[in-house]
Amino acid sequence: MRLATWNVNSIRTRVERVTDWLARADVDVLAMQETKCTDAQFPALAFEALGYEIAHVGYNQWNGVAIASRVGLDEVSIGFDGQPGFGKDGAAPEAEARALGATCNGVRVWSLYVPNGRSLDDPHLEYKLEWLAALRDTASGWLAQDPEQPIALVGDWNIVPRDDDVWDISAFVGKTHVSPPERAAFEAFNDAGFADVVRPFTPGPGVYTYWDYTQLAFQKRRGMRIDFILGSPALASRVAAAEIVKDERRPRKGTTAPSDHAPVVVDLE
């Protein structure tokens, strides 16, 4: 089974690039983030034409997560237990479209779009840390209930776990993504039993999954590793190969602009 995750940065804008890659890459399950559309706007027919079932949650033009599977799509869950919401300007917190789970050929896949954090003094950072803590606690409960369950927590984590996961750590002093609380929140998943199953096959430094659109960041190799597949012990033991498909970040003539993220793929035995 080939499992992938990709922050597509607007599925309606990039549906042809995504489905073209799916056909070429022979992917069985694709988790997507930042679809930026409602459920009614999601271009499901393009995926169904390739034999994929679709689960999606999107409430407006922000956020949005999806799972496309050609090996089964069962037990779909919108959000996880305890998932916090975010309230703007003192309003009551509302759930955002950031987490979607489904069982695909026996593997429990969660497509996750972790809040950005924005800045160290922004309320969104507190929300991000609360969101991650809630996910960790819930995921720990899943493993406690069934230690042999293959679980994949995949998506855009908006965290740089190590200094060499970014092109120049000095450029991020006093900024989010690299702060000690965020890194500790990410490491807590490893402590809970979830391993980064891609890094052993894609060691750094200089191995990234995201490059900003501005200032020729991709051409200058100014990237960040922020997209991950974290696996439970039962899933990690099945990983035979993994890759970051950097070529899908490259512009191509005759197609829409690429996402600012690259797909991340694992092959499961």
Side-chain angles (χ1 to χ4, degrees), residues 127-196:
Y127 166 52
K128 177 180 187 176
L129 296 174
E130 181 184 0
W131 200 95
L132 286 163
L135 175 61
R136 179 205 62 220
D137 290 347
T138 300
S140 296
W142 296 333
L143 282 185
Q145 291 174 0
D146 183 3
E148 299 303 317
Q149 183 179 10
I151 304 172
L153 306 178
V154 314
D156 179 356
W157 291 75
N158 272 313
I159 296 174
V160 176
R162 303 180 183 178
D163 286 358
D164 62 8
D165 287 338
V166 66
W167 65 276
D168 182 1
I169 190 61
S170 67
F172 287 81
V173 174
K175 296 183 179 180
T176 60
H177 290 59
V178 303
S179 72
E182 291 168 283
R183 288 183 167 182
F186 188 87
E187 184 63 26
F189 285 87
N190 184 60
D191 296 339
F194 291 87
D196 179 351

Coordinates of all heavy atoms in Angstrom, one line a residue, residues 127-196:
Y127 N -3.4 28.4 20.8 CA -4.3 27.5 20.2 C -3.6 26.3 19.5 O -4.0 25.2 19.7 CB -5.1 28.3 19.1 CG -6.0 27.5 18.2 CD1 -6.8 26.5 18.6 CD2 -5.9 27.7 16.8 CE1 -7.6 25.7 17.6 CE2 -6.6 27.0 15.9 CZ -7.5 26.0 16.3 OH -8.2 25.3 15.4
K128 N -2.5 26.6 18.8 CA -1.7 25.5 18.2 C -1.2 24.5 19.2 O -1.4 23.3 19.0 CB -0.5 26.1 17.4 CG 0.4 25.2 16.8 CD 1.5 25.9 16.1 CE 2.4 25.0 15.2 NZ 3.4 25.8 14.5
L129 N -0.7 25.0 20.3 CA -0.1 24.1 21.3 C -1.3 23.3 22.0 O -1.1 22.1 22.3 CB 0.6 24.9 22.4 CG 1.9 25.6 21.8 CD1 2.5 26.5 22.9 CD2 2.9 24.6 21.3
E130 N -2.4 24.0 22.2 CA -3.5 23.3 22.8 C -4.0 22.2 21.9 O -4.4 21.1 22.3 CB -4.7 24.3 23.1 CG -5.9 23.7 23.7 CD -7.0 24.7 23.9 OE1 -6.8 25.9 23.6 OE2 -8.1 24.3 24.4
W131 N -4.1 22.5 20.6 CA -4.5 21.6 19.5 C -3.6 20.3 19.5 O -4.1 19.2 19.5 CB -4.5 22.3 18.2 CG -5.4 21.7 17.1 CD1 -6.7 22.1 16.8 CD2 -5.0 20.7 16.2 NE1 -7.1 21.3 15.7 CE2 -6.1 20.5 15.3 CE3 -3.8 20.0 16.0 CZ2 -6.0 19.6 14.2 CZ3 -3.8 19.1 14.9 CH2 -4.9 18.9 14.1
L132 N -2.3 20.6 19.5 CA -1.4 19.5 19.5 C -1.5 18.6 20.7 O -1.4 17.4 20.6 CB 0.0 20.0 19.3 CG 0.4 20.5 17.9 CD1 1.6 21.4 17.9 CD2 0.6 19.4 16.9
A133 N -1.6 19.2 21.9 CA -1.7 18.5 23.1 C -3.0 17.6 23.1 O -2.9 16.4 23.6 CB -1.7 19.4 24.3
A134 N -4.1 18.1 22.6 CA -5.3 17.3 22.5 C -5.2 16.2 21.6 O -5.6 15.0 21.9 CB -6.5 18.2 22.1
L135 N -4.5 16.4 20.4 CA -4.3 15.3 19.5 C -3.4 14.2 20.1 O -3.7 13.0 20.0 CB -3.7 15.8 18.2 CG -3.3 14.8 17.2 CD1 -4.5 14.0 16.7 CD2 -2.6 15.4 16.0
R136 N -2.3 14.7 20.8 CA -1.4 13.7 21.4 C -2.1 12.9 22.4 O -2.0 11.6 22.5 CB -0.3 14.4 22.1 CG 0.7 13.5 22.8 CD 1.5 14.3 23.9 NE 0.5 14.8 24.9 CZ 0.6 16.0 25.5 NH1 1.5 16.8 25.2 NH2 -0.3 16.3 26.4
D137 N -2.9 13.5 23.3 CA -3.7 12.7 24.3 C -4.6 11.7 23.7 O -4.7 10.6 24.1 CB -4.4 13.7 25.2 CG -3.5 14.5 26.1 OD1 -2.3 14.2 26.2 OD2 -4.0 15.5 26.7
T138 N -5.3 12.2 22.7 CA -6.3 11.3 22.0 C -5.6 10.1 21.3 O -6.0 9.0 21.4 CB -7.2 12.1 21.0 OG1 -7.9 13.1 21.7 CG2 -8.2 11.2 20.3
A139 N -4.5 10.5 20.6 CA -3.8 9.4 19.9 C -3.1 8.4 20.9 O -3.1 7.2 20.6 CB -2.7 10.1 19.0
S140 N -2.7 8.9 22.0 CA -2.2 8.0 23.0 C -3.3 7.0 23.5 O -3.0 5.8 23.7 CB -1.7 8.8 24.2 OG -0.6 9.6 23.9
G141 N -4.5 7.5 23.6 CA -5.6 6.7 24.0 C -5.9 5.6 22.9 O -6.2 4.5 23.3
W142 N -5.7 6.0 21.6 CA -5.9 4.9 20.6 C -4.9 3.8 20.8 O -5.3 2.6 20.7 CB -5.8 5.6 19.2 CG -6.8 6.6 18.9 CD1 -8.0 6.7 19.3 CD2 -6.6 7.7 18.0 NE1 -8.6 7.8 18.8 CE2 -7.8 8.5 17.9 CE3 -5.5 8.2 17.2 CZ2 -7.9 9.6 17.2 CZ3 -5.6 9.3 16.4 CH2 -6.8 10.0 16.4
L143 N -3.7 4.1 21.0 CA -2.7 3.1 21.2 C -2.9 2.3 22.5 O -2.6 1.1 22.5 CB -1.3 3.7 21.2 CG -0.7 4.1 19.9 CD1 0.8 4.6 20.1 CD2 -0.7 3.0 18.9
A144 N -3.4 3.0 23.5 CA -3.6 2.2 24.7 C -4.7 1.2 24.6 O -4.7 0.1 25.1 CB -4.0 3.2 25.9
Q145 N -5.7 1.6 23.8 CA -6.8 0.7 23.5 C -6.4 -0.5 22.6 O -6.9 -1.6 22.8 CB -8.0 1.4 22.8 CG -8.7 2.4 23.7 CD -9.7 3.2 23.0 OE1 -9.9 3.1 21.8 NE2 -10.3 4.2 23.7
D146 N -5.5 -0.2 21.6 CA -5.1 -1.3 20.7 C -3.7 -1.0 20.3 O -3.4 -0.3 19.2 CB -6.0 -1.3 19.5 CG -5.7 -2.4 18.5 OD1 -4.7 -3.2 18.8 OD2 -6.3 -2.5 17.4
P147 N -2.7 -1.5 21.0 CA -1.3 -1.2 20.7 C -0.9 -1.8 19.3 O 0.1 -1.3 18.7 CB -0.5 -2.0 21.8 CG -1.5 -2.1 22.9 CD -2.8 -2.3 22.2
E148 N -1.6 -2.7 18.7 CA -1.3 -3.3 17.4 C -2.0 -2.6 16.3 O -1.8 -3.0 15.1 CB -1.6 -4.8 17.4 CG -0.9 -5.6 18.5 CD 0.6 -5.4 18.3 OE1 1.1 -5.5 17.2 OE2 1.3 -5.3 19.4
Q149 N -2.7 -1.5 16.5 CA -3.4 -0.8 15.5 C -2.4 0.0 14.6 O -1.6 0.8 15.1 CB -4.5 0.1 16.0 CG -5.3 0.8 15.0 CD -6.4 1.7 15.6 OE1 -6.4 2.0 16.8 NE2 -7.3 2.2 14.8
P150 N -2.4 -0.2 13.3 CA -1.6 0.7 12.4 C -2.3 2.0 12.2 O -3.4 2.1 11.6 CB -1.6 -0.1 11.1 CG -2.8 -1.0 11.1 CD -3.1 -1.2 12.5
I151 N -1.6 3.1 12.7 CA -2.2 4.4 12.7 C -1.2 5.3 12.0 O 0.0 5.3 12.3 CB -2.5 5.0 14.1 CG1 -3.4 4.0 14.8 CG2 -3.1 6.4 14.0 CD1 -3.6 4.4 16.3
A152 N -1.6 6.2 11.1 CA -0.8 7.2 10.4 C -1.3 8.6 10.7 O -2.4 8.9 10.3 CB -0.7 6.9 8.9
L153 N -0.5 9.4 11.4 CA -0.8 10.8 11.6 C -0.1 11.6 10.6 O 1.2 11.7 10.7 CB -0.5 11.2 13.0 CG -1.0 10.3 14.2 CD1 -0.5 10.8 15.5 CD2 -2.5 10.3 14.1
V154 N -0.7 12.1 9.5 CA 0.0 12.6 8.4 C -0.5 14.0 8.1 O -1.6 14.4 8.4 CB -0.2 11.7 7.2 CG1 0.0 10.3 7.5 CG2 -1.6 11.9 6.5
G155 N 0.4 14.8 7.5 CA 0.0 16.1 7.1 C 1.0 17.2 7.3 O 2.2 17.0 7.5
D156 N 0.5 18.5 7.3 CA 1.3 19.7 7.5 C 1.2 20.0 9.0 O 0.2 20.5 9.5 CB 0.7 20.8 6.6 CG 1.4 22.1 6.8 OD1 2.3 22.2 7.6 OD2 1.0 23.1 6.1
W157 N 2.4 19.8 9.6 CA 2.5 20.0 11.1 C 2.9 21.4 11.5 O 2.8 21.8 12.6 CB 3.4 19.0 11.7 CG 2.9 17.6 11.6 CD1 2.8 16.8 10.5 CD2 2.4 16.8 12.7 NE1 2.3 15.6 10.9 CE2 2.0 15.6 12.2 CE3 2.2 17.1 14.1 CZ2 1.4 14.6 13.0 CZ3 1.6 16.1 14.9 CH2 1.3 14.9 14.3
N158 N 3.4 22.2 10.5 CA 3.8 23.6 10.8 C 4.8 23.7 11.9 O 4.7 24.6 12.7 CB 2.5 24.4 11.0 CG 2.0 25.0 9.8 OD1 2.7 25.5 8.9 ND2 0.7 24.9 9.6
I159 N 5.7 22.7 12.0 CA 6.7 22.7 13.0 C 8.0 22.2 12.3 O 8.0 21.2 11.5 CB 6.4 21.7 14.2 CG1 5.2 22.2 14.9 CG2 7.6 21.6 15.1 CD1 4.7 21.3 16.0
V160 N 9.1 22.8 12.7 CA 10.4 22.4 12.2 C 11.1 21.7 13.4 O 11.6 22.4 14.3 CB 11.3 23.6 11.7 CG1 12.7 23.2 11.4 CG2 10.6 24.3 10.5
P161 N 11.2 20.4 13.5 CA 11.7 19.7 14.7 C 13.2 19.9 15.0 O 13.6 19.9 16.1 CB 11.4 18.3 14.4 CG 10.3 18.2 13.3 CD 10.6 19.4 12.5
R162 N 14.0 20.1 13.9 CA 15.4 20.2 14.1 C 15.9 21.5 13.4 O 15.4 21.9 12.4 CB 16.1 19.0 13.6 CG 15.6 17.7 14.2 CD 16.4 16.5 13.6 NE 15.9 15.2 14.1 CZ 16.3 14.0 13.7 NH1 17.3 14.0 12.8 NH2 15.8 12.9 14.2
D163 N 17.1 21.9 13.8 CA 17.7 23.1 13.2 C 18.0 22.9 11.8 O 17.8 23.8 10.9 CB 19.0 23.5 14.0 CG 18.7 24.2 15.3 OD1 17.5 24.4 15.7 OD2 19.7 24.5 16.0
D164 N 18.5 21.7 11.4 CA 18.8 21.5 10.0 C 17.6 21.1 9.1 O 17.8 20.8 8.0 CB 19.9 20.5 9.8 CG 19.5 19.1 10.4 OD1 18.3 18.9 10.7 OD2 20.4 18.2 10.4
D165 N 16.4 21.3 9.7 CA 15.2 21.1 8.9 C 14.7 22.4 8.3 O 13.6 22.5 7.7 CB 14.0 20.5 9.8 CG 14.3 19.1 10.1 OD1 15.0 18.4 9.4 OD2 13.7 18.6 11.1
V166 N 15.5 23.4 8.4 CA 15.2 24.7 7.8 C 16.5 25.3 7.2 O 17.6 25.0 7.6 CB 14.7 25.7 8.8 CG1 15.7 26.1 9.9 CG2 14.1 27.0 8.1
W167 N 16.4 26.0 6.1 CA 17.5 26.5 5.3 C 18.5 27.3 6.1 O 19.7 27.3 5.9 CB 17.1 27.2 4.1 CG 16.4 28.5 4.3 CD1 15.0 28.7 4.6 CD2 16.9 29.8 4.3 NE1 14.7 30.0 4.7 CE2 15.9 30.7 4.6 CE3 18.2 30.3 4.1 CZ2 16.0 32.1 4.6 CZ3 18.4 31.7 4.1 CH2 17.3 32.6 4.4
D168 N 18.0 28.1 7.1 CA 18.9 29.0 7.9 C 18.2 29.2 9.2 O 17.3 30.1 9.3 CB 19.2 30.3 7.1 CG 20.1 31.2 7.9 OD1 20.6 30.8 9.0 OD2 20.4 32.3 7.4
I169 N 18.6 28.5 10.2 CA 17.9 28.6 11.5 C 18.0 30.0 12.1 O 17.1 30.5 12.8 CB 18.5 27.6 12.5 CG1 17.6 27.5 13.8 CG2 19.9 27.9 12.8 CD1 16.2 27.1 13.5
S170 N 19.1 30.8 11.7 CA 19.2 32.1 12.2 C 18.2 33.1 11.7 O 17.9 34.1 12.4 CB 20.6 32.7 11.9 OG 20.8 32.9 10.5
A171 N 17.6 32.7 10.6 CA 16.5 33.6 10.0 C 15.2 33.4 10.8 O 14.2 34.1 10.5 CB 16.3 33.2 8.6
F172 N 15.1 32.4 11.7 CA 13.9 32.1 12.4 C 14.0 32.4 13.9 O 13.1 32.0 14.7 CB 13.5 30.7 12.2 CG 13.0 30.4 10.8 CD1 13.9 30.2 9.7 CD2 11.6 30.4 10.5 CE1 13.4 30.0 8.4 CE2 11.2 30.2 9.2 CZ 12.1 30.0 8.2
V173 N 15.0 33.1 14.3 CA 15.1 33.5 15.7 C 13.9 34.4 16.1 O 13.6 35.3 15.4 CB 16.4 34.3 16.0 CG1 16.4 34.8 17.4 CG2 17.6 33.4 15.7
G174 N 13.2 34.0 17.2 CA 12.1 34.7 17.6 C 10.8 34.5 16.8 O 9.9 35.3 16.9
K175 N 10.8 33.4 16.0 CA 9.6 33.2 15.2 C 9.0 31.8 15.5 O 9.6 31.0 16.3 CB 10.0 33.2 13.7 CG 10.5 34.6 13.2 CD 10.8 34.6 11.8 CE 11.2 35.9 11.3 NZ 11.5 36.0 9.8
T176 N 7.8 31.6 15.0 CA 7.2 30.3 15.2 C 7.8 29.2 14.4 O 8.7 29.4 13.6 CB 5.7 30.4 14.9 OG1 5.6 30.7 13.5 CG2 5.0 31.4 15.7
H177 N 7.3 28.0 14.5 CA 7.7 26.8 13.9 C 9.0 26.2 14.5 O 9.2 25.0 14.5 CB 8.0 27.0 12.4 CG 6.8 27.2 11.6 ND1 5.9 28.2 11.8 CD2 6.2 26.5 10.5 CE1 4.9 28.2 10.9 NE2 5.1 27.2 10.1
V178 N 9.9 27.0 15.1 CA 11.1 26.5 15.6 C 11.2 26.7 17.1 O 12.2 26.4 17.8 CB 12.3 27.2 15.0 CG1 12.3 26.9 13.5 CG2 12.4 28.7 15.3
S179 N 10.1 27.3 17.8 CA 10.2 27.6 19.2 C 10.3 26.4 20.0 O 9.7 25.3 19.6 CB 9.0 28.5 19.6 OG 7.8 27.7 19.6
P180 N 10.9 26.4 21.2 CA 11.0 25.3 22.1 C 9.6 24.7 22.4 O 9.5 23.4 22.4 CB 11.7 25.8 23.3 CG 12.5 26.9 22.8 CD 11.7 27.5 21.7
P181 N 8.5 25.4 22.7 CA 7.2 24.8 23.0 C 6.7 24.0 21.8 O 6.1 22.9 22.0 CB 6.4 26.0 23.4 CG 7.3 27.1 23.8 CD 8.5 26.9 23.0
E182 N 6.8 24.5 20.6 CA 6.3 23.8 19.5 C 7.1 22.5 19.2 O 6.5 21.5 18.9 CB 6.4 24.7 18.2 CG 5.4 25.9 18.3 CD 5.7 26.9 17.2 OE1 6.7 27.7 17.4 OE2 5.0 26.9 16.2
R183 N 8.4 22.6 19.3 CA 9.2 21.4 19.2 C 8.9 20.4 20.2 O 8.9 19.2 20.0 CB 10.7 21.8 19.2 CG 11.2 22.5 17.9 CD 12.6 22.8 17.9 NE 13.1 23.2 16.6 CZ 14.3 23.6 16.2 NH1 15.3 23.5 17.1 NH2 14.6 23.9 15.0
A184 N 8.7 20.8 21.5 CA 8.4 19.9 22.5 C 7.0 19.2 22.3 O 6.8 18.0 22.5 CB 8.3 20.6 23.9
A185 N 6.1 20.0 21.7 CA 4.8 19.4 21.4 C 4.9 18.4 20.3 O 4.2 17.3 20.3 CB 3.8 20.5 20.9
F186 N 5.8 18.6 19.3 CA 6.0 17.6 18.3 C 6.7 16.3 18.9 O 6.3 15.2 18.6 CB 6.9 18.2 17.2 CG 7.0 17.3 16.0 CD1 6.1 17.3 15.0 CD2 8.1 16.4 15.9 CE1 6.2 16.5 13.8 CE2 8.3 15.6 14.8 CZ 7.3 15.6 13.7
E187 N 7.7 16.5 19.7 CA 8.5 15.4 20.3 C 7.6 14.6 21.2 O 7.8 13.4 21.4 CB 9.6 16.0 21.1 CG 10.5 14.9 21.7 CD 11.2 14.1 20.7 OE1 11.4 14.6 19.5 OE2 11.6 12.9 21.0
A188 N 6.5 15.2 21.8 CA 5.6 14.5 22.6 C 4.9 13.3 21.9 O 4.5 12.3 22.5 CB 4.6 15.4 23.2
F189 N 4.8 13.4 20.6 CA 4.2 12.3 19.8 C 5.2 11.2 19.7 O 4.7 10.0 19.8 CB 3.8 12.8 18.4 CG 2.6 13.7 18.4 CD1 2.7 15.0 18.6 CD2 1.3 13.1 18.2 CE1 1.5 15.8 18.6 CE2 0.2 13.9 18.2 CZ 0.3 15.3 18.4
N190 N 6.4 11.5 19.6 CA 7.4 10.4 19.7 C 7.4 9.7 21.0 O 7.5 8.4 21.1 CB 8.8 10.9 19.4 CG 9.9 9.9 19.3 OD1 9.8 9.0 18.5 ND2 10.9 10.0 20.2
D191 N 7.3 10.5 22.1 CA 7.2 9.9 23.4 C 6.0 9.1 23.6 O 6.0 8.1 24.4 CB 7.2 11.0 24.5 CG 8.5 11.8 24.5 OD1 9.5 11.3 24.0 OD2 8.5 13.0 24.9
A192 N 4.9 9.4 22.9 CA 3.7 8.6 22.9 C 3.7 7.4 22.1 O 2.7 6.6 22.1 CB 2.5 9.5 22.5
G193 N 4.8 7.2 21.3 CA 4.9 5.9 20.5 C 4.8 6.1 19.0 O 4.8 5.1 18.3
F194 N 4.7 7.4 18.5 CA 4.6 7.6 17.1 C 5.9 8.1 16.6 O 6.5 9.0 17.1 CB 3.5 8.7 16.8 CG 2.1 8.2 17.1 CD1 1.5 8.3 18.4 CD2 1.3 7.6 16.1 CE1 0.2 7.8 18.6 CE2 0.0 7.1 16.3 CZ -0.5 7.3 17.6
A195 N 6.4 7.4 15.5 CA 7.7 7.7 14.9 C 7.6 8.4 13.6 O 6.7 8.1 12.8 CB 8.5 6.4 14.8
D196 N 8.5 9.3 13.3 CA 8.7 9.8 12.0 C 9.2 8.7 11.1 O 10.4 8.4 11.1 CB 9.6 11.0 12.0 CG 9.8 11.7 10.7 OD1 9.4 11.1 9.6 OD2 10.5 12.8 10.7

